[in-house]
Amino acid sequence: MRSEPLRREGLTVPQTLVSPPRFRPKSVLVWTLVALVGAVSWGVLALSRGEEVSAIWLLAAALGSFAIAYRFYSKFIADRVLRLDDGRATPAERLDDGVDYQPTDRRVLLGHHFAAIAGAGPLVGPVLAMQMGYLPGTLWIVAGVIFAGAVQDMVVLFLSMRRDGKSLGQMARDELGRVGGAAALLAVFVIMIILLAVLALVVINALADSPWGTFSVAMTIPIALFMGFYLQILRPGRVVETSLIGVALLLLAILGGGWIEHSSLADTFTLSPTTLVFCLVGYGFVASVLPVWMLLAPRDYLSTFMKIGTIVLLAVGVLVATPHLNAEAVTSFASSGAGPVFAGSLFPFLFITIACGALSGFHALVASGTTPKLIQKESQVRMIGYGAMLMEAFVAVMALISAAVLDPGLYYAMNAPAGLLGPTVESASQAVAGLGFTISPEELTAAAKAVDESTLVARTGGAPTLAVGMSQIFSDVVGGEGMKAFWYHFAIMFEALFILTTVDAGTRVGRFMLQDMLGNVWKPMGRVNWKPGIWLASAVVVAGWGYFLYVGATDPLGGINQLFPLFGIANQLLAAIALTVATTLLIRSGRLRWAWVTGVPLAWIVTVTLTASWQKVFSADPRVGFFAQRERFSDAIDAGEVLAPAKSMDDMHTVVTNSTVDGVLIILFVALVLTVVVNAAVVCVRAVRSPGSTVSTETPYVASAIETPESRPRTPAGAGTGGGSGPGAGR
């Protein structure tokens, strides 16, 4: 090879690092087969109407699409759009303080990032959206994650990493000026508090009065602490060895939970919702202030084995049991908007209900929170940012399959509201028949008995339905009907563990965000290594979501229960802010030709969220519109009537208040997001018209001294990932 520089896209890149493309027949054959399997599977799903369809086709279609997207689209973004550079030191290397900044093995960091982003959304969103059929949800999960969700996570992670790990809100403040930046900071922080409280409430509901789940989840804390010290002090760098020990201990904790549930210690681990609230708040604070290597990263890494292991076993169960999709491909509720699970038509509410798993604004907080402060090499942005999101989409697909294999009658008996179903299995059977499906009272009783529950009627929220679906698939492979109860309770514990890791990482991200915000007013608060600032910001964040959580745990209509209807829209409005900031930064950094990568999903999600927000505020249907619901309950109060879900006149007044608050908050959030978008548009136009006037906010180039196997320079044979090593490379 010649050693003189090569000009490419206006950049000076040493030619010795550029490997010519090679034609590899084996690789071409493999990817051609993957494409064919995916295409055939999509064809079966699209054309099948009325026939029995195996769940294997859905699984193959999704996995084939994910594989092609990671191999080609994520590589295109990494090489052409972001121009990742392993010769450049990351903030983890330059600012290593052993607390928040520390180069972390990519396998551990992938586990931490995945565990932090994968919350309730990919588990329950697809289950709830099943009322519109399995095909719309599958299409949104697959297309959404490939072109929107994984792109957002990867680009935001890269942009934050290039800016010393700044939070999303602070990046908006730096790039959009005072007005747009202030609007973004306020919207992001308030929405984050709501999201954390909602996720925490799901954990509380799953662990309350469950000694098995409480014991198993609690044991992950000392196991993680042991793993942290083992990997950091006792056996540094021994990731595989630490992983094997951690997984063995985790399996013992799960088995021990089953033993605890039937022992004299069961009462000790049977905790009330209010007790769990205080435990969760205390844990969130501790996880936020301890060095990240000590608890947060190893616990999330450990949890990932449980999460991915269970989902992979579920996929294997589908391959072995070959269950059929009992749900319709597209139901009448998709167009009518009169579904019993939630009101509203397919557009826009499917894209609000299935958030995490396709596109989630919460992920941008993690991608600009803990992860950019821990990443070793820029090339790892692809695996951690794009790859982890594909893993979450795989979880969403498996959740959708678990719901789709259930008998539709059982699905609606579990997910329709109690006011529609009535108090008995007989009334529930009649109500389901009115929806066009059939299930007898005896079948409802038998289904509940099989999973050791008193009833499955009106077990709304998605989590119980997912657990029943998982237990059906697992029991078809191992144990038969006699093991359904075991697998059901295992699934409930799995869901709680799955979501809890999002709460602890989210709290730390909230601390970073609050420190960034307060640092604009008082500089010491902006220093992430200043102990008083760390403790104060952590306390404020846990107090914020802890308050809403406590009130929600004690009052069915109060606290976070009051704000729960905002969850989906607020999360997607946050995604709109993240994609706005990402698009603005791409344009300001001279990547105008590639701005469509984030600009197209931005246009889509803004359209979706504004449409959904308009309907939630101004729809005349009281099942959809907050103000219409307020008017309906106000009229009922004047007439002396009590309407469900209220049980008293005081509850009626509370519902009126909640509807008013939710409607006003949606208007406020939309106003803030529009302020951000309009402000960003002005900034982008200025940057395009006067490109020389744009001042880069990236941290100046510093050469990296860390070498990892995947970051070694390319050889003539093409080994390694390579990248520019000089100050001009990768910019």
Side-chain angles (χ1 to χ4, degrees), residues 659-707:
S659 302
T660 305
V661 170
D662 289 342
V664 170
L665 283 177
I666 284 291
I667 294 174
L668 174 62
F669 290 158
V670 169
L672 292 172
V673 170
L674 286 177
T675 300
V676 172
V677 172
V678 171
N679 217 65
V682 173
V683 171
C684 290
V685 170
R686 289 175 180 170
V688 172
R689 288 180 175 177
S690 305
S693 63
T694 301
V695 178
S696 175
T697 55
E698 285 189 0
T699 304
Y701 181 94
V702 174
S704 174
I706 294 179
E707 183 176 291

Side-chain angles (χ1 to χ4, degrees), residues 292-315:
V292 69
W293 62 265
M294 189 180 296
L295 177 59
L296 189 66
R299 188 188 181 283
D300 289 352
Y301 178 59
L302 179 66
S303 299
T304 298
F305 283 102
M306 173 67 175
K307 293 179 177 184
I308 292 299
T310 300
I311 294 299
V312 169
L313 286 177
L314 189 60

Side-chain angles (χ1 to χ4, degrees), residues 171-184 580-581 583-585 587-588 602 671-687:
M171 286 194 292
R173 172 68 176 80
D174 293 342
E175 302 295 333
L176 305 182
R178 289 188 175 182
V179 177
T580 299
V581 173
T583 304
T584 303
L585 280 169
I587 293 174
R588 282 174 55 85
L602 168 61
L672 292 172
V673 170
L674 286 177
T675 300
V676 172
V677 172
V678 171
N679 217 65
V682 173
V683 171
C684 290
V685 170
R686 289 175 180 170

Side-chain angles (χ1 to χ4, degrees), residues 32-388:
T32 300
L33 290 175
V34 171
L36 286 174
V37 170
V40 170
S41 301
W42 281 116
V44 171
L45 294 175
L47 299 177
S48 297
R49 292 294 182 271
E51 307 95 339
E52 284 191 340
V53 179
S54 172
I56 293 177
W57 292 113
L58 196 156
L59 183 63
L63 289 179
S65 301
F66 295 160
I68 291 174
Y70 184 79
R71 171 61 181 83
F72 297 102
Y73 192 48
S74 72
K75 191 174 189 305
F76 160 76
I77 295 173
D79 293 348
R80 304 298 298 275
V81 181
L82 304 181
R83 301 191 286 272
L84 302 176
D85 177 12
D86 276 347
R88 185 183 188 124
T90 65
E93 179 180 353
R94 289 185 291 100
L95 305 176
D96 186 358
D97 61 4
V99 178
D100 295 315
Y101 291 87
Q102 186 173 45
T104 303
D105 185 279
R106 69 189 189 283
R107 293 162 291 184
V108 176
L109 187 55
L110 175 66
H112 159 71
H113 185 77
F114 169 73
I117 65 173
L123 294 178
V124 302
V127 173
L128 299 178
M130 187 55 62
Q131 77 163 4
M132 296 182 176
Y134 64 79
L135 194 55
T138 301
L139 289 171
W140 168 232
I141 291 170
V142 174
V145 71
I146 290 173
F147 297 109
V151 172
Q152 172 203 260
D153 293 11
M154 181 178 178
V155 174
V156 170
L157 175 58
F158 167 80
L159 295 172
S160 177
M161 179 188 64
R162 282 286 180 95
R163 288 157 181 80
D164 286 346
K166 285 185 178 178
S167 67
L168 176 66
Q170 188 59 39
M171 286 194 292
R173 172 68 176 80
D174 293 342
E175 302 295 333
L176 305 182
R178 289 188 175 182
V179 177
L185 280 170
L186 178 60
V188 168
F189 188 74
V190 174
I191 290 174
M192 184 207 64
I193 293 295
I194 294 175
L195 299 184
L196 286 176
V198 168
L199 294 172
L201 182 64
V202 177
V203 175
I204 297 298
N205 291 337
L207 294 183
D209 302 319
S210 173
W212 183 7
T214 301
F215 174 82
S216 299
V217 170
M219 286 304 296
T220 61
I221 298 174
I223 295 174
L225 288 170
F226 170 76
M227 290 177 64
F229 280 98
Y230 192 89
L231 189 60
Q232 183 74 14
I233 298 172
L234 299 179
R235 302 275 285 175
R238 306 281 183 166
V239 176
V240 175
E241 183 179 312
T242 309
S243 302
L244 293 175
I245 295 173
V247 171
L249 293 174
L250 176 62
L251 293 175
L252 287 176
I254 295 171
L255 294 174
W259 177 80
I260 288 288
E261 188 171 38
H262 299 94
S263 73
S264 59
L265 295 174
D267 291 342
T268 304
F269 292 94
T270 303
L271 305 181
S272 67
T274 52
T275 302
L276 285 169
V277 168
F278 289 112
C279 292
L280 202 55
V281 167
Y283 168 71
F285 178 82
V286 171
S288 179
V289 300
L290 284 180
V292 69
W293 62 265
M294 189 180 296
L295 177 59
L296 189 66
R299 188 188 181 283
D300 289 352
Y301 178 59
L302 179 66
S303 299
T304 298
F305 283 102
M306 173 67 175
K307 293 179 177 184
I308 292 299
T310 300
I311 294 299
V312 169
L313 286 177
L314 189 60
V316 172
V318 169
L319 294 175
V320 174
T322 63
H324 290 101
L325 302 174
N326 289 313
E328 298 177 80
V330 183
T331 70
S332 59
F333 300 132
S335 56
S336 70
V341 180
F342 62 91
S345 56
L346 187 150
F347 181 85
F349 291 105
L350 173 76
F351 311 100
I352 299 300
T353 304
I354 302 180
C356 302
L359 170 64
S360 170
F362 180 81
H363 295 186
L365 303 183
V366 179
S368 62
T370 55
T371 308
K373 299 177 177 66
L374 302 173
I375 197 164
Q376 284 179 322
K377 289 292 183 182
E378 288 198 352
S379 62
Q380 296 169 4
V381 164
R382 179 187 176 202
M383 178 183 76
I384 294 168
Y386 202 96

Side-chain angles (χ1 to χ4, degrees), residues 21 177 182 535 629 725:
W535 299 333
Q629 183 185 68
S725 60

Side-chain angles (χ1 to χ4, degrees), residues 705-716:
I706 294 179
E707 183 176 291
T708 59
E710 72 277 6
S711 68
R712 289 170 184 155
R714 292 179 181 175
T715 66

